[in-house]
Amino acid sequence: LDEHFSAVWCMRPAPGRPNSVYREPDGTWSAFNSPLDKVFDHKADVLHAMCKDPAAWFPQLAEGDETAASVLRGLRPEGIVLVDDVRTNFQSSAPDKAKVLRYCKVARYDCVYREHGFKRDMGGIGAKDDSDYAILLDFVRKPWEYKALLKARCVERKFEGSDERPRVDLVVFDFDETLTLHTWMPSDRRCVTEIGFRLPEEKREHFVTYNFSSPYVSDDRVERLGVMLKELAVGADDADGRPMPRTLAILTRNEGGAVAVLNLLAMAGLDAHFSAIWALGSDAEAGAASGVYREGSEWRAFELPGRSVDLEPTKVNVLRCVVENPQAWFPQLASDAGAAELAHIAGMPSLASIVLVDDEPANFRGEEGDDANVIVRQCEVTRYDDDNFRGQGLITHMGGLGAKTSEDYDELLAFVRRPWLRSEQPVGDAFFRELASTPSGVSEVALLRRHMEDELECDSCSP
């Protein structure tokens, strides 16, 4: 793959070795030292410095490489696309806060990788989805068509039985950056071990503000979240106009465990809307429970099934287990009152009965190679960075349903009620963009709309 690149710069070179290499016009590679030591140690700062003096980073420019010169002459920050899997690389922490204006964020995921066992924070463009290549090509050609959308995106994937339009019985939320904007936990260990742990009022308000309140919208996000969660659970105004209750749960990865998540929710008054909280990766040695469930108004801790297994499961596999054995994940089903309240989840036919709300796209997919094991009804919460969130400096990988726009609440409510109205179409915008895009030097292909059959049948239509 080396022939496709013109230079490689290493921000962490071995001592005493050149920090860069470049490809000469004849195709051979030569080592050199780029001015990395004169630039703030961040990729955004490096790219901005490159625009000021391209020849210092591409020595072939001084050797008469006209091809490189024609491309790099007059280079500007908006002329660069950075493809990276680390979100913090897109904005510098230096005083001038240099930004990468156009970038492609490669998804991360956890999986059992070959003979190496379970590995976290894997990545790789095209590693999980072949469409990555076409999307990046199209973005580089026409980046102006990919404006950042700061709203939740709901979609129903095609699945066997989708024509029957099965109802949604269970809505599962991620916690970090989905219900919270960013998660700050109290340092008091009782928050991890004691159900019902409470902070003094001033501190409680502090954690509610930083975790749940949004400075980007005018309305009260905590209040709006509460109203939406209640409507989701009650199921009012469904297709037949009658209440059709649903169950809400939380599935998250959090070392603090399910009790810590519960106590933080309770500080905002949002806990009563959920029936269970499942925390993968909780620290058992620190006393963190992996699960809690609500029976009436009382919360109780329990251990998730399979906790003794060394490998952490994917969210898709967890939810498949919930469908197969709901009582193991909702212990309240063992009581008469719990069985009556949650009767609708006792016989869920498939994963199509579940909507997953999450900010991490990889959580909607199963393990590598298991293309059939996916969440078919999904709501992806947008991510963003903030230069100085509430005076805390640069915070990356922020999120939060409704944090950037109040449209998210209505979007999710409408999707859960009638997910088939947002079904994924086999042929969409990306297909037509690919038809219209052409290699350099070839005339653009024009796409013209023709009359539909029902329009042609109308007497008033022109031929």
Side-chain angles (χ1 to χ4, degrees):
L1 301 175
D2 62 311
E3 63 180 288
H4 304 292
F5 296 87
S6 297
V8 179
W9 312 291
C10 182
M11 298 179 72
R12 296 288 187 276
R17 294 185 180 181
N19 61 21
S20 307
V21 292
Y22 74 99
R23 185 165 55 85
E24 300 188 43
D26 62 1
T28 60
W29 285 86
S30 299
F32 77 105
N33 279 308
S34 60
L36 283 167
D37 57 339
K38 300 178 181 178
V39 182
F40 187 81
D41 189 21
H42 193 280
K43 289 187 179 182
D45 294 278
V46 170
L47 296 179
H48 278 256
M50 198 175 298
C51 294
K52 297 175 182 178
D53 186 10
W57 303 86
F58 295 93
Q60 55 265 60
L61 293 178
E63 298 176 2
D65 188 337
E66 292 301 324
T67 301
S70 64
V71 173
L72 298 174
R73 187 179 295 116
L75 184 65
R76 297 183 298 177
E78 58 267 31
I80 298 175
V81 169
L82 175 62
V83 185
D84 206 306
D85 69 310
V86 180
R87 184 168 294 272
T88 54
N89 286 336
F90 303 131
Q91 179 171 324
S92 174
S93 56
D96 59 356
K97 300 187 183 300
K99 293 182 180 180
V100 178
L101 301 178
R102 289 170 168 168
Y103 60 82
C104 172
K105 170 69 170 64
V106 177
R108 289 179 172 182
Y109 55 92
D110 303 335
C111 74
V112 177
Y113 184 67
R114 302 186 187 274
E115 71 275 12
H116 299 291
F118 186 78
K119 295 294 181 183
R120 293 191 182 277
D121 290 332
M122 298 275 290
I125 189 166
K128 282 286 189 177
D129 195 333
D130 288 340
S131 67
D132 285 358
Y133 309 117
I135 292 172
L136 179 57
L137 281 169
D138 198 52
F139 174 62
V140 170
R141 290 168 181 156
K142 295 172 288 184
W144 48 86
E145 293 188 0
Y146 290 77
K147 299 292 186 182
L149 296 177
L150 299 178
K151 61 183 294 184
R153 177 177 178 268
C154 300
V155 66
E156 178 184 88
R157 306 292 185 193
K158 190 70 175 176
F159 62 94
E160 185 177 352
S162 58
D163 293 340
E164 300 175 6
R165 298 181 175 182
R167 61 168 265 121
V168 174
D169 293 307
L170 175 61
V171 183
V172 178
F173 290 81
D174 179 41
F175 183 68
D176 303 311
E177 291 81 53
T178 295
L179 290 173
T180 65
L181 277 72
H182 196 76
T183 304
W184 284 268
M185 286 286 185
S187 58
D188 194 319
R189 294 302 300 172
R190 291 177 297 172
C191 184
V192 172
T193 58
E194 296 181 11
I195 294 177
F197 170 75
R198 294 292 182 268
L199 290 168
E201 182 60 21
E202 182 177 348
K203 289 187 176 181
R204 183 198 68 82
E205 291 182 358
H206 171 84
F207 279 97
V208 170
T209 297
Y210 274 76
N211 284 283
F212 299 104
S213 298
S214 174
Y216 313 113
V217 292
S218 58
D219 53 0
D220 186 332
R221 180 174 180 263
V222 176
E223 181 180 346
R224 290 296 303 272
L225 270 179
V227 171
M228 181 202 67
L229 293 171
K230 182 178 179 180
E231 288 190 34
L232 283 175
V234 172
D237 299 328
D238 274 286
D240 59 0
R242 296 180 303 161
M244 299 177 68
R246 304 180 190 88
T247 297
L248 309 186
I250 292 173
L251 174 59
T252 187
R253 293 188 182 276
N254 195 302
E255 291 183 357
V259 172
V261 171
L262 170 63
N263 286 332
L264 206 55
L265 275 175
M267 293 180 195
L270 299 174
D271 58 311
H273 304 291
F274 295 92
S275 295
I277 299 172
W278 309 309
L280 306 178
S282 56
D283 188 351
E285 294 183 359
S290 59
V292 291
Y293 69 97
R294 181 177 57 80
E295 192 163 16
S297 60
E298 185 176 351
W299 285 91
R300 298 185 176 93
F302 75 107
E303 287 301 307
L304 299 184
R307 175 150 182 173
S308 60
V309 178
D310 292 335
L311 303 180
E312 286 288 356
T314 65
K315 289 192 175 184
V316 176
N317 288 340
V318 167
L319 295 179
R320 187 171 292 282
C321 291
V322 172
V323 171
E324 294 172 354
N325 186 13
Q327 187 167 323
W329 300 84
F330 293 95
Q332 60 267 56
L333 283 170
S335 69
D336 292 340
E341 180 184 355
L342 305 181
H344 50 280
I345 65 169
M348 292 185 291
S350 70
L351 280 173
S353 300
I354 299 174
V355 166
L356 176 61
V357 186
D358 207 306
D359 68 304
E360 175 54 68
N363 287 334
F364 300 119
R365 302 188 294 267
E367 295 177 352
E368 184 178 8
D370 190 4
D371 295 334
N373 203 20
V374 299
I375 300 296
V376 296
R377 289 168 167 174
Q378 52 189 249
C379 176
E380 183 180 340
V381 176
T382 190
R383 292 173 172 177
Y384 54 92
D385 304 331
D386 192 312
D387 295 352
N388 190 23
F389 180 71
R390 299 192 185 278
Q392 299 299 307
L394 173 65
I395 303 293
T396 62
H397 198 166
M398 295 188 66
L401 188 75
K404 284 288 188 174
T405 173
S406 298
E407 295 177 11
D408 285 358
Y409 309 117
D410 292 334
E411 176 73 11
L412 180 57
L413 282 168
F415 177 65
V416 170
R417 289 166 181 160
R418 298 176 181 85
W420 47 85
L421 296 181
R422 287 166 174 77
S423 60
E424 184 180 46
Q425 300 302 315
V427 177
D429 292 343
F431 171 77
F432 291 107
R433 286 201 302 269
E434 181 63 22
L435 281 179
S437 65
T438 56
S440 177
V442 181
S443 300
E444 184 176 0
V445 177
L447 302 179
L448 303 179
R449 180 184 183 276
R450 293 301 186 187
H451 290 299
M452 297 171 60
E453 289 184 7
D454 56 349
E455 292 177 319
L456 293 174
E457 291 173 358
C458 177
D459 293 336
S460 62
C461 291
S462 300

